[in-house]
Amino acid sequence: MTTRPSPRLLEKWTEQDVHLWLMTEVKVHETLADTFFEEEVSGSSLDVFGKTDILDLGIKHGPAVKITSYLESLKKGSRPESQFPAYVENWTKQQVTQWLLQHVKVYDKYAEMLREEDVTGDCLVCFKKQDFLDLKVKSGPAVKILAELHKLNNKPEPQMQPISDITDLTEKPNSTQPELSLPQAITTNQPESQNKIESETDNVAEDQSENIQQQFNKASEKDGIQQTNQKDLGERRKEMIGTTVQEDKQNITLEIKKILDDLSKDGLKEFHFYEFTKSTNKSIPRGKLEGKDTKDTAKIMTDHYGNDEAVQVTRHILLNINQRPLACDLEKKTGQLKQQSHLSKSLLKKEANQGEKLKNLLTCGGNSLDQYDRFVVVVNKSSPEQVQYLQFLTKLKLFCVLDFDPNSVAPGGLCHSYRESRLANLHTPSQYQGKTDSVIKDLNLCKQTSWIFCNGRHDLDSDLNKELDYKNWLRKSCRDVEQLVSFICNHEVFHHGRSLIIFLLLSPVVTEKDPIVDIYKSFIKHIKEESIINICESQSTYQKWRELIQEKCDFDIEGLSINELTLSEINGTIMALGPFNQSSGRLLPSSGSSAIALKQKDEDFITALDILCLNQCENTYDENSEEFQDFRKNVEEEFFRGGKVKWWNLYFCDKNKDKPFIKRDKYDNVKKMIRSNLRNPKDMCVLLNLFHQPGCGGTTLAMHVMWDLRHELRCAVLKDNTVPKTEVATQVKRLMKLESEKPSPVLLLVDDSTGTENPNDLVSCIRKEVSLNINVDDETNCKVIILNCVRSHSPKEQFRKHNPTESHI
């Protein structure tokens, strides 16, 4: 499955569903999700799991608290809502430790305890007092930590200094030895050879980041895209590597200390004596070691020699003082550390480069997928194992998918999975021939996703739908697909700078005699290469694809490709991007003051209406981010300059109680008339005409009224007055009956009208549609109020022309 089942069906979740929920919703590390899968935790098991059960799986306290918190919210049918600033959730466990020590000023042992239990920022915000008590943190510090967390609200992120000695936080550093800052610790304590290695690592990382950024800048400049200013990726990479280097040193120091702890007091003296009697230029002076305990000795060794050499010198001394078992133990443990460090740096490189690169390619340097109006995906054959990690496709504004998998629509296929949660119309390339506007209208393009099968459909019996080999595909299908590409790239369809092509390669492309190579070549005949990005399921697939494109198209796709991330990482990265309202759920009012969730698939059917939800605009962006503040400023400035009102303007005023949205003169009259007609049992559809001069605020008044009535009525705005009235009526009825046994009243706004004739026709169609198959008990709730905003240069005269017994404003 690619989408999380309903929380109400938790008991029916499979082990795969639990794994997917942990990866995409809770966002834990894949190894933790794998633990649940290995222990055969299905939905019915998860339903009765408590924190203790999660800890019993060997999962540390931090992630266990987070999973428990998300599970509690899941059972309630909601999503966890953090009471704390977003930056806290992004803290690493190192930053949590720094904050606890430097700002909360708790005892060192508590900070170290939380660090050992993998308490990162996203875990910390889920902690309750009892969770701290379970970790043996006393009530005083526990209450203080929670209080200090709450104080962070509406405050900038606190400044935190690196901790130079975190190997043993139970004691303060020796006051005779001044602490070094992180940069000083790296440059002062590392030998020349180590400095050179780390410097080269930095340079490689920075070169890679600069290459990515240059390619991205080139694409953005050519398409006229304005980028969001970001912190330089190379600088961020350096900071992350610096922290990793410091942690490596701390871990080595700790391991040496543990080995020396097994020496007797005389054995430690013998260790010291052997070291400062080596009589080499590198040996440590006698005065530095004499009388030192194991902790200080270990720190002096790594400070003096650096990580690797300190291990080798310690091992050499242990062998020479007849402590062979300890020498072997040290070699084993530091070898394991070295492997972990290598893995950590590999993951770090991936996170710093490919993850950031993927977000940049999809958002043009921002954090939201709103940068592009339309995505076109070209995909080859997939497997059911891959499909579960392609949930991100449901979040993209897909214009169309060009699918080369003839089994895609069958169970286990990509198209089948997509259609479980979103609407997709199934097409063939030959349907995209003719006049552009006619094709758009006939196939309902731009409103619903089009899924186009470019090489057969095995779910259909006809021989015409069988998959073709390359030779026959060239003869029979290639021309239709090339015309399809030409249609997509037409300036009336493809909005340059606002549309993006994604080649999603889920299986290898081993030769140029593959239809997907021809399709790439077809696209670059019409659009710039920089408008196409490539996502490959493996590095081997990517390398061959890159060679083919370079050879056939004389273009290097390196700067526009993702190949190091797993599909799970790609899915998680994209699902974490804004806007977030799809994942948080849009709500509509229902009978008995209840609410129902508006499913994305239902909204896909109701294409003629712009639906106003109870929680409109909520959970769409990170409202603590600088990007959101800029967005808010631009929306408000546009409105004050005379632009059309948006739901966002009303939302901002609701959030700022000191500056409520100003009510127009007729606001109360309009509201009273709507409520009066709702109580009138005579007519199930009523037309209220609001005559106004252009630019005087008639639409603003109508939208303000709708905003304030959205908790009582299902509200929507007619997007296009040219849509057939019968179709609009069908969709209004669908909205009225959505997800509820009893129908709910609908308030429909028809804007920018120049008369009353078309709305009157709409009234007739709605009356006819709604009256079909209606129960007598439901009649009182089957009400549709149409608020028709009529622009007129003489609104009073037009008002007088109409029958005074009709409802006019």
Side-chain angles (χ1 to χ4, degrees), residues 454-590:
C454 296
N455 193 7
R457 276 180 61 183
H458 286 173
D459 61 306
L460 301 178
D461 294 333
S462 169
D463 289 338
L464 297 174
N465 294 293
K466 298 301 180 184
E467 182 182 10
L468 302 174
D469 58 30
Y470 182 69
K471 183 177 180 180
N472 284 306
W473 184 84
L474 278 178
R475 290 175 175 172
K476 299 179 180 180
S477 300
C478 183
R479 181 176 297 177
D480 286 343
V481 177
E482 286 183 338
Q483 289 179 342
L484 165 66
V485 171
S486 178
F487 175 88
I488 293 170
C489 297
N490 186 308
H491 71 276
E492 296 178 50
V493 178
F494 191 86
H495 300 162
H496 290 276
R498 300 288 297 174
S499 302
L500 187 69
I501 311 292
I502 301 175
F503 271 71
L504 180 59
L505 302 185
L506 301 175
S507 53
V509 181
V510 296
T511 172
E512 65 181 270
K513 294 181 178 180
D514 189 311
I516 205 164
V517 177
D518 291 309
I519 298 312
Y520 187 94
K521 290 160 65 176
S522 294
F523 269 109
I524 62 172
K525 290 177 184 176
H526 301 281
I527 60 174
K528 300 171 184 176
E529 293 90 338
E530 290 83 359
S531 295
I532 306 172
I533 71 169
N534 308 271
I535 298 178
C536 301
E537 54 85 29
S538 70
Q539 292 192 50
S540 58
T541 296
Y542 164 70
Q543 290 297 341
K544 185 61 180 178
W545 177 249
R546 181 186 180 188
E547 290 172 10
L548 287 170
I549 299 304
Q550 199 154 17
E551 178 183 346
K552 296 300 172 185
C553 306
D554 194 25
F555 178 72
D556 189 359
I557 62 173
E558 170 65 23
L560 297 166
S561 300
I562 300 298
N563 62 88
E564 291 181 15
L565 300 179
T566 64
L567 287 178
S568 174
E569 289 168 327
I570 291 167
N571 188 58
T573 302
I574 298 176
M575 293 301 290
L577 294 171
F580 306 115
N581 55 347
Q582 288 178 344
S583 56
S584 62
R586 284 160 54 76
L587 304 175
L588 289 176
S590 196

Side-chain angles (χ1 to χ4, degrees), residues 639-800:
F639 178 60
F640 290 134
R641 290 194 189 105
K644 288 190 68 171
V645 67
K646 298 179 179 177
W647 299 129
W648 280 105
N649 297 110
L650 296 154
Y651 174 75
F652 294 147
C653 288
D654 273 4
K655 297 284 283 185
N656 187 355
K657 299 301 182 184
D658 295 333
K659 295 181 179 179
F661 202 84
I662 299 173
K663 294 180 180 178
R664 264 58 176 186
D665 294 338
K666 295 289 184 180
Y667 172 89
D668 291 326
N669 290 346
V670 176
K671 205 169 181 181
K672 286 177 182 177
M673 190 167 286
I674 290 172
R675 285 183 169 149
S676 173
N677 278 282
L678 283 171
R679 292 190 293 268
N680 183 357
K682 294 181 180 179
D683 201 344
M684 64 178 59
C685 185
V686 178
L687 177 65
L688 302 180
N689 291 311
L690 176 59
F691 299 102
H692 65 96
Q693 288 185 329
C696 76
T699 301
T700 302
L701 166 61
M703 289 181 65
H704 190 188
V705 170
M706 289 190 79
W707 179 264
D708 290 343
L709 290 175
R710 72 189 190 282
H711 295 277
E712 304 171 35
L713 308 171
R714 293 188 178 178
C715 300
V717 180
L718 181 61
K719 292 180 184 178
D720 184 356
N721 289 329
T722 64
V723 176
K725 303 299 178 287
T726 52
E727 176 62 25
V728 176
T730 301
Q731 295 187 22
V732 167
K733 182 178 179 180
R734 190 184 189 100
L735 176 61
M736 177 187 286
K737 293 193 167 186
L738 209 58
E739 290 288 319
S740 179
E741 293 181 0
K742 292 185 177 181
S744 296
V746 171
L747 176 59
L748 178 66
L749 173 60
V750 178
D751 191 23
D752 287 342
S753 175
T754 56
T756 60
E757 292 77 13
N758 282 339
N760 274 314
D761 292 341
L762 179 58
V763 169
S764 300
C765 290
I766 290 176
R767 285 173 180 164
K768 183 177 179 180
E769 180 69 31
V770 173
S771 63
L772 294 174
N773 301 320
I774 189 170
N775 295 324
V776 176
D777 295 338
D778 293 336
E779 286 185 359
T780 55
N781 293 316
C782 290
K783 296 288 291 188
V784 179
I785 308 293
I786 300 177
L787 189 55
N788 181 33
C789 288
V790 184
R791 290 182 298 168
S792 173
H793 290 287
S794 53
K796 290 184 179 181
E797 291 180 14
Q798 196 161 358
F799 176 83
R800 293 190 189 103

